[in-house]
Each structure stands twice: as C-alpha cells, then as structure tokens.
C-alpha cells in the first residue's frame, strides 16, 4: 500500500496556482491539497507512526488519539477501491472512518487538509439496492471508467469484461479469432497487423484494454442515466454538469442496473459508483433535471426540489432552459 500512497501523492501534489493565499498548509493548491496531503501523511504515518506537525492547532485531542485516527484512516484507505481521488471522496472517507469521534476533531482534521466540512457535502440517502428494482432487466459491472468516456452530465461510455458470464456466451466468433490473432501479432512485434485486427475488434463493438497488467477483451456500452436530463455541452452549466459526473465516475468500476435500450442504441440504466447512486448526486447538486417524461420515481422529484430550494447548480439561474426544449429548438433550426 505504501507504493499506492506514494504514486497518488506524486500524481496529486502538483501546484496549479501561484496565488499564495490559495495554498493549504502543505504548500499545494487549494484544489489538490486535500487528497495529496492526506495521502502523503498516511504514507508517512505508515512508515514512522508520526502524525503531522501542526495538527494540534486544529484539533482538541491528544497526539495518542491522533495516532489512533491515522491508524484507522490507513486501514480505510487500504480497503477503498479505488482510493479517494477528489476532495469530496477524501472527506467522506474521513467522516465515515471517524464517525464515532468528537465533532471538533473530525472538522479540525478536515480543515487541516482543506477538505470539505460535513455540512457542505450533499447528504446521500439512496443506498445500493439489495434486490433488483422493478423494471430492471439485468445488471453488469464495468471496468474502470476513463474521464474522456463521459460525454455530458447524463451519458457515459463503459466497457464490460467478456469474462463476465453474461458476456462470455455472446462474443462473436470473429471477435474471438481477431483477439487471438492480435495477441500473436503483438508477440511477433507485427504492430501494423495487430492494429488492423484491433480495428476489426472495435468496429464490432469491443476493445482490448489493459486492466491490472493484463489484456482484457471488453464489450462497449453507451449508458444513458435513467430519469435525469443534464444540460447539453453548449448550454449554460453544461460543462459543470459533465465535470461533476466525471468526478463521480472517473476510475471507478460501476454497477449498472439496466432497464432497456433507447432509440439511439444506448443502455438506459441506474449507475452506482462506489455505492453512490449517480442520479441522486446529479439531482441534489443541481446538475440535471428530473426527466419526468421517462421516469416518474418520486425520490427523483424530491431530490430535484431540494436543489431548487437551495438554488444550487443550474438552479442558481432564475429561469434555466430545459435541455429537451433546447434540443427541440436546435432540431427545428431556431
């Protein structure tokens, strides 16, 4: 695990601003101080059993108690799959791990790392269903999601390993053969042939991906999040909506509950990322509308109303344009 901490620290701890007022106690930007500094200090604690200097100024408990926190956080970080990447994810890990400790200590620790305080986080209520909800036809688990695969605030392209029992039985024979031939071509360093074979594989809706240092044949799915409609990329708040979904999905292996396929060939489904219901987050943060034309679930309407009352996200505007009306105007040339 020490290597994981070192790699994450090296990746995150890169100043992105020269404004000294925006730097946290570890000298990196406000955007990166939380995760990178915490990863650094957990790595340091694992090797030295020493808590960071200066923490006493932010918390009320003794150094002995602080060491107990860091032991728990090291264990929680080890068990997290994947470990926290965003400040919000890191804050949630700290809050959950230290939920039985003094509020002043938890908030002081979060403040020390520049992480969001509990009252600033969206409170999530929807847990992972223990049985398939009504209307769900099947489910699958994805390989880790790339940020570039998120098209906008309600669409993402994912890949599912053909080792999945549901997938293994329906891989076309020509794809199986091309995969074997591609592997042999690469062994012989015939990369031109290998690339041509991989194009044949991708044209059939599959791709060979690197996962845990192995080549994995995976099937491509385009996912449309059921029940929400986010602003299009060229609409006001379109970029922010996409960025929020990227933060939620990037690097995660998702659980997708499938309800069907839309007229564009996209799988319509519910997405769970590390146990978090993606649609709930997008609605509560004001990153999407409840798409009532296709989904009447009352909890979605409730989460949209919460965001409207708080005037967060797209609801900060007094009259945000509905994405379905925007698309209709574009189709009609208006």
């Amino acid at each position: 695990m020490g290597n994981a901490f070192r790699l994450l620290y090296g990746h995150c701890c890169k100043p992105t601003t020269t404004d000294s007022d925006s730097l946290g106690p570890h000298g990196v930007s406000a955007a990166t101080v939380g995760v990178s500094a915490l990863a650094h200090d957990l790595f340091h604690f694992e090797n030295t059993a020493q808590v960071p200097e200066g923490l006493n100024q932010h918390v009320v408990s003794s150094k002995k108690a602080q060491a107990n926190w860091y032991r728990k956080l090291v264990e929680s970080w080890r068990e997290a799959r994947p470990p926290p990447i965003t400040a919000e994810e890191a804050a949630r890990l700290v809050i959950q791990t230290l939920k039985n400790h003094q509020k002043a200590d938890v908030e002081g620790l979060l403040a020390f790392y520049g992480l969001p305080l509990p009252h600033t986080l969206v409170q999530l209520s929807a847990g992972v269903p223990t049985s398939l909800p009504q209307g769900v036809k099947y489910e699958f688990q994805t390989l880790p999601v790339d940020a570039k695969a998120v098209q906008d605030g309600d669409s993402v392209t994912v890949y599912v390993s053909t080792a999945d029992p549901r997938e293994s039985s329906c891989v076309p024979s020509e794809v199986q053969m091309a995969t074997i031939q591609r592997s042999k071509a690469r062994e012989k360093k015939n990369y031109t042939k290998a690339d041509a074979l991989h194009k044949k594989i991708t044209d059939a809706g599959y791709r060979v991906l690197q996962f845990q240092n192995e080549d994995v044949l995976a099937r491509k799915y385009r996912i449309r999040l059921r029940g929400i409609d986010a602003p299009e990329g060229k609409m006001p708040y379109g970029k922010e909506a996409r960025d929020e979904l990227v933060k939620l999905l990037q690097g995660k292996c998702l659980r997708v509950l499938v309800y069907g396929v839309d007229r564009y060939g996209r799988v319509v489904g519910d997405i769970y990322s590390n146990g978090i219901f993606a649609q709930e987050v997008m609605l509560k943060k004001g990153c999407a509308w409840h798409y009532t034309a296709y989904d009447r679930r009352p909890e979605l309407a409730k989460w949209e109303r919460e965001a409207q009352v708080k005037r967060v996200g797209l609801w900060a505007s007094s009259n945000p344009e509905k994405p379905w009306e925007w698309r209709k105007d574009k189709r009609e040339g208006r």
Side-chain angles (χ1 to χ4, degrees):
M1 184 181 64
N3 286 337
F5 282 132
R6 186 185 298 112
L7 288 171
L8 180 58
Y9 177 65
H11 173 73
C12 294
C13 193
K14 295 177 182 178
T16 58
T17 178
T18 57
D19 182 358
S20 60
D21 291 336
S22 66
L23 299 183
H26 289 70
V28 293
S29 74
T32 60
V33 62
V35 186
S36 60
L38 180 57
H40 170 272
D41 288 344
L42 291 176
F43 173 66
H44 181 73
F45 179 83
E46 191 179 33
N47 287 279
T48 67
Q50 297 296 312
V51 299
E53 293 294 329
L55 183 58
N56 277 333
Q57 299 174 23
H58 294 261
V59 299
V60 297
S61 294
S62 66
K63 281 206 168 184
K64 182 178 179 180
Q66 294 168 28
N68 183 40
W69 307 341
Y70 277 77
R71 277 191 289 272
K72 291 182 177 180
L73 289 170
V74 165
E75 186 64 28
S76 294
W77 200 289
R78 178 186 291 118
E79 294 175 354
R81 293 291 183 275
I85 297 173
T86 68
E88 183 173 328
E89 290 172 351
R92 290 189 187 278
L93 181 142
V94 170
I95 293 166
Q96 178 62 28
T97 302
L98 304 181
K99 61 184 178 182
N100 295 323
H101 293 265
Q102 294 186 58
K103 179 181 178 181
D105 283 329
V106 175
E107 293 188 351
L109 184 64
L110 293 170
F112 179 67
Y113 288 109
L115 296 172
L117 296 178
H119 72 273
T120 67
L121 296 174
V122 169
Q123 298 303 308
L124 302 175
S125 57
V128 178
T130 55
S131 59
L132 293 184
Q134 184 177 1
V136 173
K137 296 181 178 179
Y138 61 92
E139 67 173 291
F140 56 70
Q141 302 279 341
T142 76
L143 295 171
V145 173
D146 188 283
K148 295 178 181 178
V150 179
Q151 286 84 42
D152 50 39
D154 55 37
S155 303
V156 59
T157 297
V158 301
Y159 288 90
V160 179
S161 172
T162 54
D164 182 291
R166 184 177 173 278
E167 297 294 338
S168 61
S169 61
C170 57
V171 180
S173 57
E174 60 268 23
V175 171
Q176 294 176 335
M177 183 60 67
T179 303
I180 295 169
Q181 292 172 344
R182 175 184 179 273
S183 180
K184 291 179 179 179
R186 288 180 62 84
E187 286 178 5
K188 296 178 180 179
K189 298 184 178 181
N190 187 347
Y191 298 118
T192 300
K193 182 178 180 181
D195 289 345
L197 288 164
H198 196 241
K199 185 179 186 306
K200 182 177 181 180
I201 294 168
T202 56
D203 287 346
Y206 290 80
R207 184 176 291 273
V208 179
L209 301 172
Q210 271 279 314
F211 181 60
Q212 297 179 343
N213 297 319
E214 292 185 3
D215 281 348
V216 175
L217 177 64
R219 184 178 177 182
K220 177 181 176 180
Y221 286 92
R222 292 186 300 143
I223 309 295
R224 177 65 165 81
L225 276 68
R226 180 175 184 248
I228 68 170
D229 198 1
E232 300 293 334
K234 294 182 180 180
M235 291 178 64
Y237 214 76
K239 180 182 183 300
E240 290 83 352
R242 178 188 178 275
D243 289 347
E244 189 61 45
L245 192 59
V246 168
K247 285 196 298 183
L248 185 61
L249 305 186
Q250 183 179 10
K252 310 294 196 308
C253 295
L254 310 177
R255 182 186 181 191
V256 181
L257 307 185
V258 178
Y259 290 84
V261 178
D262 69 11
R263 57 180 174 170
Y264 302 107
R266 299 173 301 185
V267 166
V268 178
D270 290 341
I271 287 182
Y272 290 85
S273 175
N274 275 10
I276 295 173
F277 185 30
Q279 283 97 312
E280 179 180 3
V281 174
M282 297 301 287
L283 287 168
K284 284 188 171 182
K285 290 194 172 185
C287 295
W289 297 72
H290 177 203
Y291 209 178
T292 55
Y294 295 95
D295 193 320
R296 294 282 185 171
R297 283 180 285 183
E299 61 269 31
L300 272 62
K302 175 177 176 288
W303 297 332
E304 181 187 59
R305 285 196 300 272
E306 290 177 10
Q308 289 172 333
V309 170
K310 294 177 181 177
R311 299 187 67 82
V312 296
L314 65 89
W315 302 112
S317 170
S318 59
N319 187 29
E321 185 175 10
K322 299 176 178 66
W324 54 89
E325 292 182 353
W326 185 89
R327 291 191 295 268
K328 181 180 179 182
D329 288 345
K330 291 297 179 183
R331 286 195 301 270
E332 296 175 355
R334 286 185 282 179

